[in-house]
Amino acid sequence: MAEMAGMIDSYRAAMRREGQARTTIVKRHAELRWWLGHIGERWDSATRHDVDAWLDGRDIATSTRYVAISNLHAFYLWARREELVEHDPTELLRRPKVRRRLPRPLRAVDVELLILGANPRMAATVALMYDAGLRCDEVARLVWDDVDLVERTAIVRGKGDRDRMVGLPRRLVVALAALDETTGPVIAPRATAGAISQRVRSHMKRRGVPGSAHRLRHSFATRLLRATQDITAVQVALGHALLTTTQVYAAVDPTRAVLAARKLDVIHQPALF
């Protein structure tokens, strides 16, 4: 057991040297401990059939299965480089096809239900996601040193530890100004992304609003795209590394095609005769 614990520590240290995001390290570490708890000392001779059986027994969603395989693959790549194993049991696994779902923005009236009457901390949390597009982990990591209520801007640490600057609409500034603290974490000390997600989801359920916390971010993206008609600006605001990730929001905004067609009215059409 001590040898296995030492190996896990070495893997964590290697991920930190690679500059992996904190959330990535946490997720890979949790997945690895789950796997090692199942497979035990046979981890270095496990087969793809062992991995398949383990995942089948967890009864998880397709997307979760895909991520689990990816996390295990990252570990075994490291283990092979360190000459701890001779083969990777995930190498020949067929990863499931994950279908990309369309974003599901919330209705404005539902967001009002979430904000009105909520305690100041929950109101600020909802506003950060709905009016600035923050993810749950970005809300958890936001600190007052990176927030300027006068200039109405904030620096957000996103995926891959990439920083981006976001604007703070007036309602969000008011919600943040209502909080008592002005130093340290903005929302909650030592809060994790999972904890914030669960709190928001529970709040939504109590208010009769369906869905998860991430729908607030979907709502921000679709509203921003409709207001600006600039998908590159939306990409930057969301902190997406790839434009293709952002383009899915165009599919839920039918006004884009209508407005684009109307621009043809101003294009000179040559006379036919």
Side-chain angles (χ1 to χ4, degrees):
M1 290 297 293
E3 182 179 349
M4 193 172 292
M7 177 186 66
I8 294 175
D9 289 341
S10 296
Y11 179 50
R12 285 174 62 92
M15 287 191 286
R16 287 194 292 268
R17 287 194 299 271
E18 293 172 1
Q20 296 289 347
R22 181 181 62 88
T23 51
T24 299
I25 294 174
V26 169
K27 290 176 181 177
R28 288 182 178 177
H29 176 257
E31 198 78 64
L32 177 59
R33 291 184 65 88
W34 203 340
W35 164 244
L36 293 177
H38 166 78
I39 198 68
E41 295 182 356
R42 292 197 304 112
W43 72 271
D44 56 353
S45 60
T47 68
R48 63 184 176 88
H49 302 294
D50 292 322
V51 179
D52 264 337
W54 174 60
L55 293 173
D56 290 343
R58 289 171 60 182
D59 189 26
I60 52 181
T62 300
S63 57
T64 306
R65 187 185 189 99
Y66 185 97
V67 172
I69 293 173
S70 297
N71 286 334
L72 277 187
H73 180 60
F75 163 70
Y76 276 102
L77 279 179
W78 170 81
R80 289 183 68 178
R81 287 195 299 268
E82 296 298 313
E83 299 181 349
L84 299 176
V85 296
E86 295 182 356
H87 78 288
D88 173 5
T90 70
E91 192 170 17
L92 297 179
L93 278 181
R94 294 180 62 88
R95 302 193 187 193
K97 183 176 181 180
V98 179
R99 293 175 175 81
R100 178 176 291 183
R101 296 183 177 181
L102 288 178
R104 298 181 59 205
L106 291 169
R107 300 179 304 167
V109 64
D110 287 335
V111 178
E112 294 300 323
L113 283 173
L114 295 176
I115 293 178
L116 293 177
N119 65 64
R121 196 173 302 281
M122 179 55 68
T125 301
V126 171
L128 281 167
M129 304 183 76
Y130 183 75
D131 288 325
L134 271 64
R135 304 175 177 93
C136 288
D137 61 320
E138 293 169 348
V139 172
R141 300 168 72 179
L142 187 64
V143 294
W144 281 110
D145 284 346
D146 291 333
V147 177
D148 189 332
L149 296 183
V150 176
E151 295 295 329
R152 292 171 52 184
T153 61
I155 297 175
V156 176
R157 179 65 55 85
K159 283 188 175 181
D161 284 336
R162 293 187 295 269
D163 289 347
R164 71 181 187 277
M165 181 173 287
V166 300
L168 307 179
R170 186 169 290 104
R171 176 171 58 184
L172 177 51
V173 170
V174 172
L176 293 174
L179 299 177
D180 294 331
E181 301 86 356
T182 57
T183 60
V186 172
I187 295 301
R190 296 178 297 278
T192 63
I196 288 178
S197 176
Q198 185 57 48
R199 291 174 193 172
V200 174
R201 190 183 187 96
S202 297
H203 179 64
M204 293 172 69
K205 186 176 181 179
R206 288 193 297 270
R207 294 298 173 93
V209 177
S212 64
H214 206 65
R215 290 189 66 185
L216 292 162
R217 178 171 156 90
H218 290 175
S219 304
F220 166 79
T222 51
R223 288 161 55 235
L224 185 62
L225 181 58
R226 182 168 297 178
T228 64
Q229 298 296 307
D230 186 344
I231 198 162
T232 303
V234 178
Q235 176 193 5
V236 173
L238 291 173
H240 286 161
L242 301 175
L243 183 60
T244 52
T245 306
T246 314
Q247 286 173 334
V248 68
Y249 291 98
V252 297
D253 185 10
T255 62
R256 283 176 55 82
V258 174
L259 293 175
R262 287 177 181 171
K263 291 181 179 180
L264 294 176
D265 292 340
V266 301
I267 299 177
H268 173 68
Q269 299 291 339
L272 296 179
F273 302 100

Short mmCIF file of all heavy atoms in Angstrom, two decimals, residues 93-147:
data_model
loop_
_atom_site.label_atom_id
_atom_site.label_comp_id
_atom_site.label_asym_id
_atom_site.label_seq_id
_atom_site.Cartn_x
_atom_site.Cartn_y
_atom_site.Cartn_z
N LEU A 93 -8.94 0.21 -26.09
CA LEU A 93 -10.36 0.38 -25.78
C LEU A 93 -11.04 1.27 -26.81
O LEU A 93 -10.48 2.27 -27.25
CB LEU A 93 -10.52 1.02 -24.39
CG LEU A 93 -10.44 0.10 -23.17
CD1 LEU A 93 -10.63 0.93 -21.91
CD2 LEU A 93 -11.47 -0.99 -23.24
N ARG A 94 -12.24 0.91 -27.19
CA ARG A 94 -13.04 1.76 -28.07
C ARG A 94 -13.78 2.77 -27.21
O ARG A 94 -14.64 2.41 -26.41
CB ARG A 94 -14.03 0.92 -28.89
CG ARG A 94 -13.36 -0.01 -29.88
CD ARG A 94 -14.40 -0.81 -30.64
NE ARG A 94 -15.27 0.06 -31.42
CZ ARG A 94 -15.02 0.47 -32.65
NH1 ARG A 94 -13.89 0.10 -33.24
NH2 ARG A 94 -15.88 1.23 -33.30
N ARG A 95 -13.41 4.02 -27.37
CA ARG A 95 -14.07 5.06 -26.57
C ARG A 95 -15.46 5.32 -27.12
O ARG A 95 -15.66 5.36 -28.34
CB ARG A 95 -13.24 6.34 -26.58
CG ARG A 95 -11.84 6.12 -26.05
CD ARG A 95 -11.12 7.39 -25.77
NE ARG A 95 -9.73 7.13 -25.43
CZ ARG A 95 -8.90 8.01 -24.91
NH1 ARG A 95 -9.34 9.24 -24.65
NH2 ARG A 95 -7.65 7.70 -24.64
N PRO A 96 -16.43 5.49 -26.24
CA PRO A 96 -17.80 5.69 -26.71
C PRO A 96 -17.95 7.00 -27.47
O PRO A 96 -17.21 7.97 -27.23
CB PRO A 96 -18.62 5.71 -25.40
CG PRO A 96 -17.63 6.15 -24.36
CD PRO A 96 -16.32 5.55 -24.77
N LYS A 97 -18.88 7.02 -28.37
CA LYS A 97 -19.17 8.23 -29.13
C LYS A 97 -20.05 9.13 -28.28
O LYS A 97 -21.16 8.75 -27.88
CB LYS A 97 -19.87 7.89 -30.44
CG LYS A 97 -20.13 9.09 -31.32
CD LYS A 97 -20.75 8.67 -32.64
CE LYS A 97 -20.99 9.89 -33.53
NZ LYS A 97 -21.59 9.50 -34.85
N VAL A 98 -19.56 10.31 -28.01
CA VAL A 98 -20.30 11.26 -27.17
C VAL A 98 -21.01 12.25 -28.08
O VAL A 98 -20.38 12.98 -28.85
CB VAL A 98 -19.36 12.01 -26.20
CG1 VAL A 98 -20.15 12.99 -25.35
CG2 VAL A 98 -18.62 11.01 -25.31
N ARG A 99 -22.32 12.25 -28.00
CA ARG A 99 -23.10 13.17 -28.82
C ARG A 99 -23.19 14.53 -28.14
O ARG A 99 -23.55 14.61 -26.96
CB ARG A 99 -24.51 12.61 -29.06
CG ARG A 99 -24.53 11.36 -29.91
CD ARG A 99 -25.91 10.77 -30.03
NE ARG A 99 -25.94 9.63 -30.94
CZ ARG A 99 -25.58 8.40 -30.60
NH1 ARG A 99 -25.16 8.17 -29.37
NH2 ARG A 99 -25.62 7.43 -31.48
N ARG A 100 -22.85 15.55 -28.89
CA ARG A 100 -22.90 16.89 -28.33
C ARG A 100 -24.34 17.38 -28.27
O ARG A 100 -25.04 17.41 -29.28
CB ARG A 100 -22.06 17.86 -29.17
CG ARG A 100 -22.12 19.29 -28.68
CD ARG A 100 -21.21 20.20 -29.47
NE ARG A 100 -19.82 19.89 -29.20
CZ ARG A 100 -18.81 20.58 -29.72
NH1 ARG A 100 -19.05 21.58 -30.55
NH2 ARG A 100 -17.57 20.25 -29.43
N ARG A 101 -24.77 17.75 -27.08
CA ARG A 101 -26.12 18.24 -26.92
C ARG A 101 -26.17 19.76 -27.10
O ARG A 101 -25.20 20.46 -26.82
CB ARG A 101 -26.65 17.89 -25.52
CG ARG A 101 -26.78 16.40 -25.27
CD ARG A 101 -27.37 16.15 -23.90
NE ARG A 101 -27.59 14.73 -23.64
CZ ARG A 101 -28.11 14.24 -22.53
NH1 ARG A 101 -28.46 15.07 -21.56
NH2 ARG A 101 -28.28 12.94 -22.37
N LEU A 102 -27.31 20.22 -27.59
CA LEU A 102 -27.47 21.66 -27.75
C LEU A 102 -27.59 22.31 -26.38
O LEU A 102 -28.15 21.73 -25.45
CB LEU A 102 -28.73 21.97 -28.57
CG LEU A 102 -28.66 21.64 -30.06
CD1 LEU A 102 -30.01 21.96 -30.72
CD2 LEU A 102 -27.56 22.42 -30.74
N PRO A 103 -27.07 23.52 -26.24
CA PRO A 103 -27.24 24.26 -24.98
C PRO A 103 -28.72 24.49 -24.71
O PRO A 103 -29.54 24.58 -25.63
CB PRO A 103 -26.53 25.60 -25.26
CG PRO A 103 -25.60 25.31 -26.39
CD PRO A 103 -26.27 24.27 -27.22
N ARG A 104 -29.06 24.60 -23.44
CA ARG A 104 -30.45 24.82 -23.04
C ARG A 104 -30.52 26.05 -22.15
O ARG A 104 -30.48 25.94 -20.92
CB ARG A 104 -30.99 23.59 -22.32
CG ARG A 104 -31.01 22.32 -23.18
CD ARG A 104 -31.59 21.17 -22.40
NE ARG A 104 -32.94 21.44 -21.96
CZ ARG A 104 -33.53 20.87 -20.90
NH1 ARG A 104 -32.84 20.01 -20.17
NH2 ARG A 104 -34.76 21.17 -20.57
N PRO A 105 -30.61 27.22 -22.75
CA PRO A 105 -30.67 28.44 -21.93
C PRO A 105 -31.95 28.51 -21.12
O PRO A 105 -32.99 27.97 -21.51
CB PRO A 105 -30.61 29.56 -22.98
CG PRO A 105 -31.12 28.93 -24.24
CD PRO A 105 -30.66 27.50 -24.20
N LEU A 106 -31.86 29.19 -19.99
CA LEU A 106 -33.02 29.38 -19.13
C LEU A 106 -33.86 30.55 -19.62
O LEU A 106 -33.36 31.47 -20.27
CB LEU A 106 -32.57 29.66 -17.69
CG LEU A 106 -31.91 28.50 -16.94
CD1 LEU A 106 -31.29 29.01 -15.65
CD2 LEU A 106 -32.93 27.41 -16.65
N ARG A 107 -35.13 30.53 -19.27
CA ARG A 107 -35.98 31.68 -19.55
C ARG A 107 -35.64 32.80 -18.58
O ARG A 107 -35.25 32.55 -17.44
CB ARG A 107 -37.45 31.30 -19.39
CG ARG A 107 -37.94 30.19 -20.32
CD ARG A 107 -39.41 29.90 -20.05
NE ARG A 107 -39.63 29.56 -18.64
CZ ARG A 107 -40.83 29.51 -18.07
NH1 ARG A 107 -41.91 29.78 -18.78
NH2 ARG A 107 -40.95 29.19 -16.80
N ALA A 108 -35.78 34.03 -19.05
CA ALA A 108 -35.46 35.18 -18.19
C ALA A 108 -36.29 35.17 -16.91
O ALA A 108 -35.80 35.51 -15.83
CB ALA A 108 -35.69 36.48 -18.97
N VAL A 109 -37.55 34.75 -17.02
CA VAL A 109 -38.41 34.73 -15.84
C VAL A 109 -37.90 33.73 -14.81
O VAL A 109 -38.03 33.95 -13.59
CB VAL A 109 -39.87 34.41 -16.24
CG1 VAL A 109 -39.99 33.00 -16.82
CG2 VAL A 109 -40.80 34.59 -15.05
N ASP A 110 -37.31 32.62 -15.27
CA ASP A 110 -36.76 31.64 -14.34
C ASP A 110 -35.54 32.20 -13.60
O ASP A 110 -35.34 31.92 -12.41
CB ASP A 110 -36.37 30.36 -15.08
CG ASP A 110 -37.57 29.54 -15.52
OD1 ASP A 110 -38.63 29.69 -14.87
OD2 ASP A 110 -37.47 28.79 -16.49
N VAL A 111 -34.73 32.96 -14.31
CA VAL A 111 -33.55 33.56 -13.67
C VAL A 111 -33.98 34.58 -12.61
O VAL A 111 -33.38 34.67 -11.54
CB VAL A 111 -32.64 34.22 -14.72
CG1 VAL A 111 -31.44 34.90 -14.05
CG2 VAL A 111 -32.16 33.18 -15.73
N GLU A 112 -35.02 35.33 -12.91
CA GLU A 112 -35.55 36.27 -11.92
C GLU A 112 -36.00 35.52 -10.67
O GLU A 112 -35.80 35.98 -9.55
CB GLU A 112 -36.71 37.08 -12.51
CG GLU A 112 -36.31 38.00 -13.64
CD GLU A 112 -35.27 39.03 -13.20
OE1 GLU A 112 -35.36 39.51 -12.05
OE2 GLU A 112 -34.37 39.34 -13.99
N LEU A 113 -36.60 34.35 -10.85
CA LEU A 113 -37.01 33.54 -9.70
C LEU A 113 -35.81 33.12 -8.86
O LEU A 113 -35.90 33.03 -7.63
CB LEU A 113 -37.76 32.29 -10.18
CG LEU A 113 -39.21 32.45 -10.63
CD1 LEU A 113 -39.72 31.15 -11.21
CD2 LEU A 113 -40.08 32.89 -9.45
N LEU A 114 -34.69 32.88 -9.53
CA LEU A 114 -33.50 32.43 -8.82
C LEU A 114 -32.82 33.56 -8.06
O LEU A 114 -32.23 33.34 -6.99
CB LEU A 114 -32.50 31.81 -9.80
CG LEU A 114 -32.94 30.53 -10.51
CD1 LEU A 114 -31.89 30.09 -11.51
CD2 LEU A 114 -33.20 29.42 -9.50
N ILE A 115 -32.89 34.77 -8.59
CA ILE A 115 -32.17 35.89 -7.98
C ILE A 115 -33.01 36.62 -6.93
O ILE A 115 -32.54 36.91 -5.84
CB ILE A 115 -31.69 36.87 -9.07
CG1 ILE A 115 -30.62 36.20 -9.95
CG2 ILE A 115 -31.13 38.15 -8.45
CD1 ILE A 115 -30.12 37.07 -11.08
N LEU A 116 -34.26 36.91 -7.27
CA LEU A 116 -35.12 37.66 -6.35
C LEU A 116 -35.39 36.84 -5.09
O LEU A 116 -35.81 35.69 -5.16
CB LEU A 116 -36.43 38.04 -7.03
CG LEU A 116 -36.32 39.04 -8.19
CD1 LEU A 116 -37.69 39.27 -8.81
CD2 LEU A 116 -35.72 40.36 -7.69
N GLY A 117 -35.13 37.43 -3.95
CA GLY A 117 -35.40 36.75 -2.68
C GLY A 117 -34.31 35.80 -2.23
O GLY A 117 -34.38 35.26 -1.13
N ALA A 118 -33.29 35.57 -3.07
CA ALA A 118 -32.19 34.70 -2.66
C ALA A 118 -31.28 35.44 -1.69
O ALA A 118 -31.24 36.68 -1.67
CB ALA A 118 -31.39 34.26 -3.89
N ASN A 119 -30.54 34.70 -0.86
CA ASN A 119 -29.59 35.36 0.02
C ASN A 119 -28.48 35.98 -0.83
O ASN A 119 -28.27 35.56 -1.98
CB ASN A 119 -29.03 34.39 1.06
CG ASN A 119 -28.19 33.28 0.44
OD1 ASN A 119 -27.15 33.51 -0.16
ND2 ASN A 119 -28.65 32.04 0.59
N PRO A 120 -27.77 36.99 -0.32
CA PRO A 120 -26.78 37.72 -1.15
C PRO A 120 -25.75 36.82 -1.82
O PRO A 120 -25.38 37.04 -2.97
CB PRO A 120 -26.13 38.68 -0.14
CG PRO A 120 -27.19 38.91 0.87
CD PRO A 120 -27.91 37.60 1.01
N ARG A 121 -25.29 35.78 -1.11
CA ARG A 121 -24.25 34.93 -1.69
C ARG A 121 -24.80 34.10 -2.86
O ARG A 121 -24.13 33.97 -3.89
CB ARG A 121 -23.68 34.00 -0.62
CG ARG A 121 -22.36 33.35 -1.01
CD ARG A 121 -21.78 32.58 0.15
NE ARG A 121 -21.57 33.41 1.32
CZ ARG A 121 -20.53 34.24 1.47
NH1 ARG A 121 -19.62 34.34 0.52
NH2 ARG A 121 -20.41 34.95 2.56
N MET A 122 -26.00 33.57 -2.72
CA MET A 122 -26.58 32.81 -3.81
C MET A 122 -26.93 33.72 -4.99
O MET A 122 -26.73 33.35 -6.16
CB MET A 122 -27.82 32.06 -3.33
CG MET A 122 -28.53 31.23 -4.41
SD MET A 122 -27.42 30.04 -5.25
CE MET A 122 -27.11 28.89 -3.88
N ALA A 123 -27.45 34.91 -4.70
CA ALA A 123 -27.77 35.85 -5.77
C ALA A 123 -26.52 36.21 -6.56
O ALA A 123 -26.55 36.28 -7.80
CB ALA A 123 -28.41 37.11 -5.19
N ALA A 124 -25.40 36.41 -5.87
CA ALA A 124 -24.14 36.74 -6.55
C ALA A 124 -23.63 35.55 -7.37
O ALA A 124 -23.11 35.72 -8.47
CB ALA A 124 -23.09 37.17 -5.53
N THR A 125 -23.79 34.35 -6.83
CA THR A 125 -23.36 33.14 -7.54
C THR A 125 -24.13 32.99 -8.85
O THR A 125 -23.53 32.76 -9.91
CB THR A 125 -23.56 31.90 -6.66
OG1 THR A 125 -22.82 32.03 -5.46
CG2 THR A 125 -23.10 30.65 -7.40
N VAL A 126 -25.43 33.11 -8.78
CA VAL A 126 -26.27 32.99 -9.97
C VAL A 126 -25.91 34.08 -10.98
O VAL A 126 -25.77 33.82 -12.18
CB VAL A 126 -27.77 33.09 -9.60
CG1 VAL A 126 -28.63 33.19 -10.85
CG2 VAL A 126 -28.17 31.87 -8.78
N ALA A 127 -25.72 35.31 -10.50
CA ALA A 127 -25.39 36.42 -11.40
C ALA A 127 -24.03 36.24 -12.06
O ALA A 127 -23.85 36.60 -13.24
CB ALA A 127 -25.44 37.74 -10.63
N LEU A 128 -23.06 35.69 -11.35
CA LEU A 128 -21.74 35.45 -11.95
C LEU A 128 -21.83 34.49 -13.13
O LEU A 128 -21.12 34.64 -14.13
CB LEU A 128 -20.77 34.89 -10.90
CG LEU A 128 -20.15 35.90 -9.93
CD1 LEU A 128 -19.47 35.19 -8.77
CD2 LEU A 128 -19.15 36.80 -10.66
N MET A 129 -22.72 33.51 -13.02
CA MET A 129 -22.86 32.52 -14.09
C MET A 129 -23.76 33.03 -15.22
O MET A 129 -23.48 32.79 -16.39
CB MET A 129 -23.40 31.22 -13.50
CG MET A 129 -22.55 30.65 -12.38
SD MET A 129 -23.13 29.07 -11.72
CE MET A 129 -22.58 27.96 -13.01
N TYR A 130 -24.81 33.74 -14.86
CA TYR A 130 -25.78 34.19 -15.86
C TYR A 130 -25.35 35.48 -16.56
O TYR A 130 -25.61 35.65 -17.75
CB TYR A 130 -27.13 34.40 -15.17
CG TYR A 130 -28.24 34.81 -16.10
CD1 TYR A 130 -28.84 33.89 -16.96
CD2 TYR A 130 -28.72 36.12 -16.12
CE1 TYR A 130 -29.86 34.25 -17.83
CE2 TYR A 130 -29.75 36.50 -16.98
CZ TYR A 130 -30.32 35.56 -17.83
OH TYR A 130 -31.34 35.93 -18.67
N ASP A 131 -24.71 36.38 -15.84
CA ASP A 131 -24.35 37.68 -16.41
C ASP A 131 -22.89 37.80 -16.81
O ASP A 131 -22.51 38.79 -17.46
CB ASP A 131 -24.68 38.80 -15.42
CG ASP A 131 -26.19 39.02 -15.29
OD1 ASP A 131 -26.88 38.88 -16.31
OD2 ASP A 131 -26.66 39.33 -14.18
N ALA A 132 -22.05 36.83 -16.41
CA ALA A 132 -20.64 36.87 -16.81
C ALA A 132 -20.15 35.55 -17.40
O ALA A 132 -19.02 35.46 -17.86
CB ALA A 132 -19.76 37.27 -15.62
N GLY A 133 -21.00 34.51 -17.35
CA GLY A 133 -20.66 33.26 -18.01
C GLY A 133 -19.65 32.39 -17.30
O GLY A 133 -19.02 31.53 -17.92
N LEU A 134 -19.47 32.56 -15.98
CA LEU A 134 -18.48 31.77 -15.28
C LEU A 134 -18.93 30.33 -15.08
O LEU A 134 -20.11 30.05 -14.88
CB LEU A 134 -18.18 32.39 -13.90
CG LEU A 134 -17.05 33.44 -13.87
CD1 LEU A 134 -17.43 34.65 -14.70
CD2 LEU A 134 -16.74 33.83 -12.43
N ARG A 135 -17.97 29.41 -15.14
CA ARG A 135 -18.21 28.01 -14.78
C ARG A 135 -18.21 27.90 -13.25
O ARG A 135 -17.74 28.80 -12.55
CB ARG A 135 -17.12 27.11 -15.35
CG ARG A 135 -16.92 27.18 -16.86
CD ARG A 135 -15.72 26.32 -17.26
NE ARG A 135 -15.49 26.28 -18.69
CZ ARG A 135 -14.66 27.10 -19.34
NH1 ARG A 135 -13.98 28.03 -18.67
NH2 ARG A 135 -14.49 26.99 -20.64
N CYS A 136 -18.68 26.75 -12.76
CA CYS A 136 -18.71 26.55 -11.31
C CYS A 136 -17.31 26.62 -10.70
O CYS A 136 -17.12 27.21 -9.63
CB CYS A 136 -19.36 25.21 -10.97
SG CYS A 136 -21.15 25.17 -11.24
N ASP A 137 -16.32 26.01 -11.36
CA ASP A 137 -14.97 26.05 -10.81
C ASP A 137 -14.38 27.45 -10.87
O ASP A 137 -13.58 27.84 -10.02
CB ASP A 137 -14.06 25.04 -11.51
CG ASP A 137 -13.91 25.31 -12.99
OD1 ASP A 137 -14.90 25.67 -13.62
OD2 ASP A 137 -12.79 25.15 -13.51
N GLU A 138 -14.80 28.26 -11.85
CA GLU A 138 -14.32 29.63 -11.94
C GLU A 138 -14.94 30.49 -10.84
O GLU A 138 -14.27 31.37 -10.28
CB GLU A 138 -14.65 30.20 -13.32
CG GLU A 138 -13.88 29.52 -14.43
CD GLU A 138 -14.37 29.87 -15.83
OE1 GLU A 138 -15.46 30.47 -15.95
OE2 GLU A 138 -13.67 29.55 -16.80
N VAL A 139 -16.19 30.22 -10.51
CA VAL A 139 -16.83 30.90 -9.38
C VAL A 139 -16.09 30.56 -8.09
O VAL A 139 -15.82 31.42 -7.25
CB VAL A 139 -18.31 30.51 -9.27
CG1 VAL A 139 -18.92 31.07 -7.98
CG2 VAL A 139 -19.09 31.01 -10.48
N ALA A 140 -15.73 29.28 -7.93
CA ALA A 140 -15.05 28.83 -6.72
C ALA A 140 -13.68 29.49 -6.57
O ALA A 140 -13.24 29.75 -5.44
CB ALA A 140 -14.91 27.31 -6.73
N ARG A 141 -13.02 29.79 -7.68
CA ARG A 141 -11.65 30.30 -7.63
C ARG A 141 -11.57 31.82 -7.67
O ARG A 141 -10.48 32.38 -7.50
CB ARG A 141 -10.85 29.71 -8.79
CG ARG A 141 -10.78 28.19 -8.76
CD ARG A 141 -10.25 27.60 -10.06
NE ARG A 141 -8.84 27.83 -10.24
CZ ARG A 141 -8.15 27.40 -11.29
NH1 ARG A 141 -8.77 26.73 -12.25
NH2 ARG A 141 -6.87 27.64 -11.39
N LEU A 142 -12.68 32.48 -7.90
CA LEU A 142 -12.66 33.93 -8.02
C LEU A 142 -12.34 34.59 -6.68
O LEU A 142 -12.96 34.29 -5.66
CB LEU A 142 -14.01 34.43 -8.54
CG LEU A 142 -14.10 35.93 -8.88
CD1 LEU A 142 -13.19 36.28 -10.04
CD2 LEU A 142 -15.55 36.30 -9.20
N VAL A 143 -11.37 35.52 -6.69
CA VAL A 143 -10.98 36.23 -5.46
C VAL A 143 -11.17 37.73 -5.67
O VAL A 143 -11.15 38.24 -6.80
CB VAL A 143 -9.52 35.93 -5.08
CG1 VAL A 143 -9.35 34.47 -4.69
CG2 VAL A 143 -8.56 36.30 -6.21
N TRP A 144 -11.33 38.44 -4.55
CA TRP A 144 -11.62 39.88 -4.62
C TRP A 144 -10.48 40.67 -5.25
O TRP A 144 -10.72 41.71 -5.86
CB TRP A 144 -11.92 40.42 -3.22
CG TRP A 144 -13.31 40.11 -2.76
CD1 TRP A 144 -13.68 39.25 -1.78
CD2 TRP A 144 -14.52 40.66 -3.28
NE1 TRP A 144 -15.04 39.20 -1.65
CE2 TRP A 144 -15.59 40.07 -2.55
CE3 TRP A 144 -14.82 41.57 -4.29
CZ2 TRP A 144 -16.93 40.38 -2.80
CZ3 TRP A 144 -16.15 41.89 -4.54
CH2 TRP A 144 -17.19 41.31 -3.80
N ASP A 145 -9.25 40.20 -5.13
CA ASP A 145 -8.12 40.91 -5.74
C ASP A 145 -8.25 41.01 -7.25
O ASP A 145 -7.65 41.89 -7.88
CB ASP A 145 -6.80 40.21 -5.39
CG ASP A 145 -6.36 40.49 -3.96
OD1 ASP A 145 -6.92 41.42 -3.35
OD2 ASP A 145 -5.47 39.78 -3.47
N ASP A 146 -9.05 40.11 -7.84
CA ASP A 146 -9.21 40.09 -9.31
C ASP A 146 -10.51 40.76 -9.75
O ASP A 146 -10.88 40.67 -10.93
CB ASP A 146 -9.17 38.65 -9.82
CG ASP A 146 -7.80 38.03 -9.68
OD1 ASP A 146 -6.81 38.79 -9.69
OD2 ASP A 146 -7.70 36.80 -9.57
N VAL A 147 -11.22 41.40 -8.83
CA VAL A 147 -12.50 42.03 -9.14
C VAL A 147 -12.38 43.54 -8.97
O VAL A 147 -11.89 44.02 -7.94
CB VAL A 147 -13.63 41.49 -8.23
CG1 VAL A 147 -14.94 42.20 -8.52
CG2 VAL A 147 -13.79 39.98 -8.44
#
